[in-house]
Amino acid sequence: MTTPLTVHLPFNRDILGAQFAPAKRGDKPGHGRGHWILVQGQNLLVQPAGDSFRLPTGDCPLPLDGTAPFWLGTYLGEPCWVVPVAADAAPPAGLSRETMVPMRDARLPDELLSLGGMAMQALWWESTSGHCPRCGTPTTRIENEWGKSCPSCRYEHFPHLHPATIVLVRDGDRVLLTRKAEWAPGRYALIAGFVDNGESLESCVAREIKEEAGIDVKDIRYVGSQNWPFPSQMMIGFVATYAGGDVVIDREELEDARWFPCTALPALPSRHSISRFIIDHYGQP
């Protein structure tokens, strides 16, 4: 039986440990100084620091123009403030624009990727939760929670995470890998897909593999998970054993799917993703 490993990956908040406390655990600071998480699309505006980067600190390096920054929590004893930045805005002097997307060769340290990922999810939630989904009334924040409450019908709702399974299929000394057309040339990864209503995680694994690659699997085993803030997913990782069938590719989902020898794998995703984590830790027979 496969024993799940602790998945210390960026975007999982536990990578920050005791250095970070979410905003819902305390009162909002009365001042606007601290760490600034400046989110521009899927990028952060950060300060170069030798061969790495750090968040700007102190006062906000951008004019807020009356917009209240979002309080994410406390990092290293100081408040973390989130500010969305317009897509066409140039970085202020001393800051650079760095991607948070692993498939675009992210260079940020894991701690900043995790803080930036939480900030992206918080902004996504703020942009999609302003009105009650039941009656349309403007919502208010539930004290010391991420959730929103409707003052009219009293309905409460909380940030939405969308579960998706991602799976490595093994058959002896070979593994099944796939690629999408929009990925970098030659790069392969694992089959992944969203969980349907009424579906177990294991059923989702079997269905997605059958739909996208045409084969059957057995011995489906959970191995770990990763928060994935693009915009608000939970990637739930599995390994499975080939049980039969020929590879038949769903061309609407995939450009290619094929078996690779474990000793001759193609270009893979970066270390930031659970896809690479699973391949590295469970890709050998």
Side-chain angles (χ1 to χ4, degrees), residues 30-50:
H31 61 86
R33 292 178 59 84
H35 302 281
W36 293 93
I37 306 176
L38 308 176
V39 180
Q40 189 175 43
Q42 294 180 336
N43 305 300
L44 285 187
L45 303 186
V46 291
Q47 290 181 333

Side-chain angles (χ1 to χ4, degrees), residues 180-198:
K180 292 181 179 290
E182 62 268 24
W183 292 352
R187 179 169 289 167
Y188 283 74
L190 303 183
I191 288 179
F194 289 106
V195 181
D196 282 346
N197 287 344

Side-chain angles (χ1 to χ4, degrees), residues 16 19 50-51 70-71 80 108 115-116 125 135 166 172 205 249 268:
L16 299 168
Q19 297 180 104
D51 58 356
F70 181 89
W71 179 44
C80 276
L108 292 168
L115 290 167
W125 169 242
C135 71
I166 183 166
V205 167
I249 302 169
L268 300 173

Side-chain angles (χ1 to χ4, degrees), residues 4-285:
L5 298 174
T6 301
V7 183
H8 290 300
L9 289 170
F11 309 123
N12 285 351
R13 193 175 73 197
D14 50 332
I15 203 171
L16 299 168
Q19 297 180 104
F20 179 79
K24 68 178 187 177
R25 295 180 181 173
D27 296 327
K28 182 177 180 179
H31 61 86
R33 292 178 59 84
H35 302 281
W36 293 93
I37 306 176
L38 308 176
V39 180
Q40 189 175 43
Q42 294 180 336
N43 305 300
L44 285 187
L45 303 186
V46 291
Q47 290 181 333
D51 58 356
S52 188
F53 304 91
R54 65 182 181 87
L55 297 174
T57 58
D59 294 321
C60 185
L62 292 171
L64 294 174
D65 298 326
T67 301
F70 181 89
W71 179 44
L72 186 70
T74 302
Y75 178 58
L76 297 175
E78 295 291 332
C80 276
W81 303 99
V82 180
V83 176
V85 180
D88 59 352
L95 300 185
S96 65
R97 183 187 296 113
E98 289 291 328
T99 183
M100 287 185 278
V101 183
M103 294 297 245
R104 296 177 187 164
D105 300 321
R107 301 190 300 165
L108 292 168
D110 290 355
E111 291 79 7
L112 295 198
L113 287 173
S114 299
L115 290 167
M118 284 189 286
M120 286 175 59
Q121 286 182 299
L123 291 175
W124 175 257
W125 169 242
E126 288 297 302
S127 72
T128 58
S129 63
H131 291 80
C132 175
R134 178 178 287 172
C135 71
T137 301
T139 56
T140 58
R141 180 83 174 263
I142 299 173
E143 186 176 0
N144 291 331
E145 290 288 349
W146 295 122
K148 299 291 185 70
S149 176
C150 175
S152 178
C153 72
R154 305 300 179 186
Y155 178 74
E156 295 182 352
H157 63 136
F158 293 82
H160 304 150
L161 287 176
H162 305 285
T165 61
I166 183 166
V167 59
L168 174 70
V169 181
R170 301 186 304 200
D171 178 35
D173 61 356
R174 64 177 186 166
V175 294
L176 181 73
L177 300 177
T178 66
R179 65 167 278 103
K180 292 181 179 290
E182 62 268 24
W183 292 352
R187 179 169 289 167
Y188 283 74
L190 303 183
I191 288 179
F194 289 106
V195 181
D196 282 346
N197 287 344
E199 190 173 47
S200 70
L201 297 176
E202 293 81 1
S203 293
C204 176
V205 167
R207 175 184 56 78
E208 286 288 344
I209 295 169
K210 187 69 172 179
E211 288 179 354
E212 295 191 10
I215 65 172
D216 298 308
V217 294
K218 61 184 179 180
D219 302 330
I220 299 168
R221 300 175 297 284
Y222 169 77
V223 296
S225 63
Q226 183 182 28
N227 189 278
W228 196 247
F230 303 103
S232 191
Q233 296 157 225
M234 175 61 69
M235 303 301 294
I236 305 161
F238 293 85
V239 294
T241 302
Y242 171 69
D246 297 324
V247 173
V248 179
I249 302 169
D250 180 354
R251 296 294 180 181
E252 292 186 2
E253 293 288 337
L254 302 174
E255 181 181 82
D256 192 21
R258 66 177 73 176
W259 295 102
F260 288 91
C262 295
T263 56
L265 298 179
L268 300 173
S270 74
R271 66 165 186 83
H272 305 92
S273 69
I274 193 169
S275 180
R276 180 61 177 269
F277 175 90
I278 296 172
I279 293 170
D280 285 349
H281 288 86
Y282 299 96
Q284 298 300 318

